[in-house]
Amino acid sequence: NGYGSFVPDEGNKYMLVSAVIENIGKTAGTFLPSFGMNDDVSVKVLYGDGYEFSLTQLLGYQKDLINSTVNPLSSKEGDMAFEVPNSVAEATEPINIEFNAGKDKVAFSLR
C-alpha cells in the first residue's frame, strides 16, 4: 500500500492464497478474527506428514482477509498469507488449505 514492505524470515517465503469470501448469513460476520471463539472461522496450511502452518498477518496490507467484516449477502476478495520454509515452497508435494468453524472443516488442494 505504499507504506512499506514485508520480508519473511531468512530461509522462508510468503505463500499468498487469494480467495473470495461470501457471507450467506443474515447478519454481518468477521472472517478470520484475530481473537476467535470456538465456532469462528480459522485456517491453516497443511503439508507433508502433518506439518501445519498458521496465518501471518500483514498489518496494513489492504488485501489481507484477517478480521474482514462482510455484510450479509456480500462478498469480499483478498489474500491470506502464510510464512513457509523455502523447502516447502519449492517442493512438489501437495499443499492443502483447511478452514475450520467449530466442528465443521473444509479443505482445498493448493498444489
Side-chain angles (χ1 to χ4, degrees), residues 40-57:
D40 287 329
V41 175
S42 64
V43 65
K44 59 186 169 185
V45 164
L46 305 170
Y47 171 77
D49 187 26
Y51 297 100
E52 298 182 4
F53 299 93
S54 59
L55 274 172
T56 299
Q57 188 167 14

Side-chain angles (χ1 to χ4, degrees), residues 12-31:
N12 291 341
K13 291 185 178 182
Y14 287 127
M15 179 176 65
L16 281 182
V17 178
S18 297
V20 176
I21 57 173
E22 183 178 7
N23 182 352
I24 59 173
K26 295 190 183 235
T27 60
T30 301
F31 184 72

Side-chain angles (χ1 to χ4, degrees), residues 13 42 61 73 78 92:
K13 291 185 178 182
S42 64
Y61 178 56
L73 305 176
T92 59

Side-chain angles (χ1 to χ4, degrees), residues 78-98:
D79 297 326
M80 294 166 280
F82 300 86
E83 188 171 346
V84 299
N86 288 340
S87 59
V88 172
E90 296 165 1
T92 59
E93 289 83 14
I95 294 178
N96 296 310
I97 189 167
E98 182 179 275

